[in-house]
Amino acid sequence: MKNRKIRTYKPRDVGQGYAFMSPTLFVLLLFVIAPIFYAIFLSLHKVQLLGGTEFHFRGLENYMKVLEDDKAKIALWNTVKYVVIVVPVQTALALILAATLNAGLKAEKVFRIIYFLPTLTSSAVLTLIFMWMYNQNGIVNEFLKFIGLPTYNWLGDPQVALIAIMIMNIWATAPFFMVIYLAALQDVPDSLYEAAQLDGANVFQRFWHITVPNLRPVTSFVVIMGLIGTFQLFDQSFIFSGGSGGPNNSTLTVVLLIYQYAFKNLGTMGYAAALAFMLALVILVATVIQRKFSKEESMY
């Protein structure tokens, strides 16, 4: 075997490389890495920011307090329900919409624009529009009444308030993931569908045995992005409930609770930082587990 030459870099070249990277490294350090370490520092202290900044070291007391906080348990349960329902539904809906558009419908470009419009709408504006639609005499209840179904107090009933937010978010986020699926579908060879059609496979069989398996890597990406986004639900819940998480804490999420402790309750900034750090760990664990399952499916 020939001896491989080890490439050496001159200090001048290394210095030039780091000089070119320095703006990006500075931004990452200032706005990403430093806030993470500062949040960890806050989570270990009792923080007083008004009337003079004070820090009192508490160790892991802020983390242990979560076990005794009933609002934190409610917020976590609401967030888990939201994630478990919204992520699979929006993923499946996005895949179905993409497969439908990819089937060669007439006026396909028009339907693409119509489907994608909800994604272009501001989250705050979208929430206000749906709150108007969810009104007692709004479009949703009028439609339910027209087809003979019972109406609901979408804004004031704790049993359906979170479901109302779920419907709104599925409608708004599925088109974004639809575009990702639609781009991935262009890489699936037409010969696979033609061969399956010659073998007598119908539309649903071709979709299940060809489309779905070939899009597994994209589905993994969509699910991970969905997990991250749904765990961070805040603005819709905040506007929907006026920042209270009501009615009866039914729309209270972990991020909304962090906001309440950080900016509404004095002296609980450290506890809010602890909640934020624990939420980050939950998102990280959920993402790692999902990636592990997707890799095992690919190997299988």
Side-chain angles (χ1 to χ4, degrees):
M1 294 180 63
K2 296 181 179 180
N3 294 329
R4 294 182 179 179
K5 294 182 179 180
I6 300 176
R7 181 178 295 180
T8 58
Y9 296 94
K10 297 179 179 179
R12 180 181 177 182
D13 296 334
V14 175
Q16 288 178 345
Y18 278 107
F20 281 116
M21 292 190 299
S22 59
T24 302
L25 293 175
F26 175 76
V27 171
L28 290 174
L29 178 64
L30 183 63
F31 295 105
V32 178
I33 299 175
I36 291 175
F37 282 100
Y38 186 60
I40 296 174
F41 170 79
L42 291 178
S43 69
L44 300 175
H45 292 76
K46 181 179 180 181
V47 184
Q48 178 66 41
L49 297 179
L50 298 179
T53 304
E54 297 180 5
F55 300 96
H56 301 284
F57 183 74
R58 298 187 62 179
L60 298 178
E61 289 184 26
N62 287 329
Y63 293 93
M64 301 303 296
K65 185 179 176 182
V66 177
L67 302 176
E68 304 173 356
D69 189 352
D70 292 334
K71 289 191 69 175
K73 295 176 183 178
I74 294 173
L76 179 60
W77 175 240
N78 289 339
T79 304
V80 169
K81 285 193 297 184
Y82 179 83
V83 171
V84 169
I85 295 175
V86 171
V87 172
V89 174
Q90 74 181 10
T91 303
L93 181 60
L95 178 56
I96 293 171
L97 290 175
T100 303
L101 288 177
N102 195 59
L105 297 176
K106 293 182 179 180
E108 177 183 335
K109 293 183 179 180
V110 176
F111 281 110
R112 286 187 185 185
I113 296 173
I114 293 174
Y115 289 163
F116 194 68
L117 281 177
T119 304
L120 301 177
T121 308
S122 167
S123 178
V125 174
L126 181 69
T127 306
L128 292 175
I129 292 174
F130 266 84
M131 288 179 68
W132 171 73
M133 294 172 58
Y134 283 140
N135 197 282
Q136 286 280 40
N137 298 318
I139 295 176
V140 176
N141 277 340
E142 290 296 327
F143 176 74
L144 293 175
K145 190 186 302 181
F146 176 76
I147 61 177
L149 294 177
T151 59
Y152 300 95
N153 182 8
W154 298 95
L155 302 177
D157 188 352
Q159 300 296 325
V160 297
L162 186 61
I163 297 175
I165 297 179
M166 291 178 184
I167 296 172
M168 176 180 63
N169 277 276
I170 291 170
W171 184 81
T173 55
F176 172 75
F177 296 124
M178 175 201 72
V179 174
I180 298 175
Y181 273 125
L182 197 57
L185 282 170
Q186 310 304 314
D187 293 332
V188 180
D190 292 334
S191 58
L192 295 177
Y193 295 103
E194 294 170 358
Q197 190 172 5
L198 290 174
D199 289 339
N202 57 35
V203 175
F204 297 103
Q205 289 173 331
R206 294 198 297 270
F207 173 79
W208 185 253
H209 294 288
I210 297 177
T211 303
V212 173
N214 278 278
L215 294 181
R216 279 179 181 171
V218 180
T219 301
S220 176
F221 170 78
V222 168
V223 170
I224 290 174
M225 294 299 294
L227 285 172
I228 295 173
T230 50
F231 268 116
Q232 294 177 340
L233 174 67
F234 169 74
D235 46 356
Q236 295 94 337
S237 180
F238 179 86
I239 299 171
F240 200 88
S241 64
S244 66
N248 195 25
N249 292 328
S250 60
T251 61
L252 182 66
T253 62
V254 175
V255 179
L256 180 56
L257 182 64
I258 292 171
Y259 165 81
Q260 291 178 352
Y261 280 129
F263 301 105
K264 284 192 173 183
N265 300 337
L266 299 179
T268 55
M269 178 67 77
Y271 180 53
L275 283 173
F277 188 69
M278 293 177 71
L279 176 62
L281 290 179
V282 170
I283 295 175
L284 177 63
V285 170
T287 303
V288 170
I289 292 175
Q290 200 285 326
R291 283 182 59 84
K292 180 176 176 59
F293 279 121
S294 63
K295 286 182 179 180
E296 290 179 353
E297 288 180 0
S298 300
M299 293 176 61
Y300 177 74

